[in-house]
Amino acid sequence: MKKGYYGLFLAAVAGFFGMTHSVQASTEDFGPKISHKAYLSVVENNYSRLGDKNGKIKGSTNDYYQQTLKTDGYYNHVNGHRYYSAYNNKDKWVGYIDAKAVKEANSSWGVGYSTKQYGSYTRKDWSIYDNKSFKESDNLLKKGNKTYQVKRYYYHFNGNMYLSLYDKNNQWVGYINKKAGGLTNSPWGTKFKGEKPISLNKNYPIYNNKNFHEVATGDKYKNKLVRTMGYYNHFNGRRYYSMEVNGDWIGYTNSDGTVNKKTNGVYQFVLDAAHEIQKKFGANLISGYREGDIDYYGTGHGNGLAVDLSVGTAEKKNDPVWKKNNAMRQYALEHYGNETEYIITNNSVLGDQHGWNPTDYLAAIGSNAYKDPTQSHRNHMCWHFNRPQDIFDF
């Protein structure tokens, strides 16, 4: 049997036993190299990347699936297959690859892959491109906080993925780097952070899922403290809030049916928040809202609003009251962190947004603070909110 045909025989045996997409060959089987410069998109998995012309396996095309490589030439093998000599974008040789596993591309963008996904964008420092020469079309800030449909994507030779965006009217918007935002399978897009208290329009529906299944209207929560726990900029052009009441999720609603509780309602908001914790932890509200401390241990801050809640007096560290104070404090910071300036309890300051050292406070009230429960705050949680004009700022 001739040497070249022996390679074909081994390849046939390998195929019979299920070892597909590999080659057994000798150097002569490859034939001469034909110079050819092109970009290659890897479109098939499970093909071997050969490490030499004797058929040594270097790896699999799975390692580069859908990525764009480049070639400087190919070989027409005696077995009838064409093999490209391929390189990555670091100019590292990745092996000989069967032409059946790749497609030649017209540019460094590679071939386009069809998809039906959605991308949400808010960052203003990423550009949209009008063409594949990276001509900038517009800044995302001008486009607004939107969700677009992604119909095609490209794995560029530079290592980045670029998405082809369409708006809700099926008008092409441009190309954008995938790193600019989140990519999902839902027209709701990516959830963005944002917590604030709101009032609901009584006639607007509330949905319990993303298929717009209506379960209530805003009228059900007209006397409740409703908070947003994030929002979605839907592909349909509307914004939907995810909401909770007293820590329980109640659903989604269109932002058009909501009103921010701003300065005029901030005092009631503070009381509502205090009542929520009072009810949850069995605490006593020992003061209504009041103007915060004029002087916050020598800093001149702490001039927002404050409330005081008590569950009793901690006789010693880590007793049940001490622990409940900690639990109340942690709950307040988790649910009202955006509005809280600082909380003093159990002889310490937590949640301080200004980075001051709590020991400064303890020094200001004296070394015997723990002996005096009115000074040590071991008998209550003193909850300080930001100034009214600073509370709701997103």
Side-chain angles (χ1 to χ4, degrees), residues 267 288-294 302-306 384 388:
Y267 302 100
Y289 68 79
R290 57 181 171 81
E291 296 302 316
D293 298 337
I294 295 175
N303 58 350
L305 301 173
H384 289 254

Side-chain angles (χ1 to χ4, degrees), residues 18-66:
M19 295 178 287
T20 59
H21 305 151
S22 61
V23 61
Q24 299 286 338
S26 68
T27 300
E28 292 86 348
D29 292 337
F30 267 72
K33 183 177 182 179
I34 300 172
S35 294
H36 179 68
K37 292 185 178 181
Y39 290 100
L40 307 173
S41 293
V42 181
V43 295
E44 295 290 344
N45 277 317
N46 301 321
Y47 276 79
S48 297
R49 292 184 290 111
L50 303 181
D52 60 30
K53 294 179 181 178
N54 292 313
K56 181 180 178 180
I57 304 298
K58 183 178 179 66
S60 167
T61 56
N62 297 21
D63 302 326
Y64 294 92
Y65 182 62
Q66 293 191 336

Side-chain angles (χ1 to χ4, degrees), residues 137-179:
S137 167
D138 207 347
N139 188 284
L140 280 178
L141 182 62
K142 297 177 184 177
K143 291 290 182 183
N145 298 334
K146 293 183 179 180
T147 294
Y148 299 99
Q149 186 174 17
V150 180
K151 291 189 177 183
R152 291 181 77 77
Y153 61 92
Y154 300 81
Y155 277 99
H156 196 282
F157 185 65
N158 65 16
N160 291 315
M161 180 193 288
Y162 294 93
L163 313 176
S164 184
L165 306 180
Y166 290 78
D167 65 18
K168 65 179 182 178
N169 299 316
N170 203 32
Q171 296 297 307
W172 186 67
V173 176
Y175 302 110
I176 194 168
N177 192 320
K178 178 180 179 289
K179 296 176 182 177

Side-chain angles (χ1 to χ4, degrees), residues 36-40 69-73 84 104-105:
H36 179 68
K37 292 185 178 181
Y39 290 100
L40 307 173
L69 305 173
K70 68 178 180 180
T71 184
D72 61 359
Y84 288 103
E104 285 197 18

Side-chain angles (χ1 to χ4, degrees), residues 198 200 205-207 221 226-230 240-245 248-254 258:
I198 56 174
L200 300 180
I206 296 173
Y207 311 105
Y221 299 99
V226 180
R227 292 179 57 82
T228 66
M229 302 305 294
Y240 294 91
Y241 290 128
S242 178
M243 304 173 294
E244 69 167 31
V245 171
D248 296 322
W249 186 75
I250 63 169
Y252 307 105
T253 196
N254 188 331
T258 67

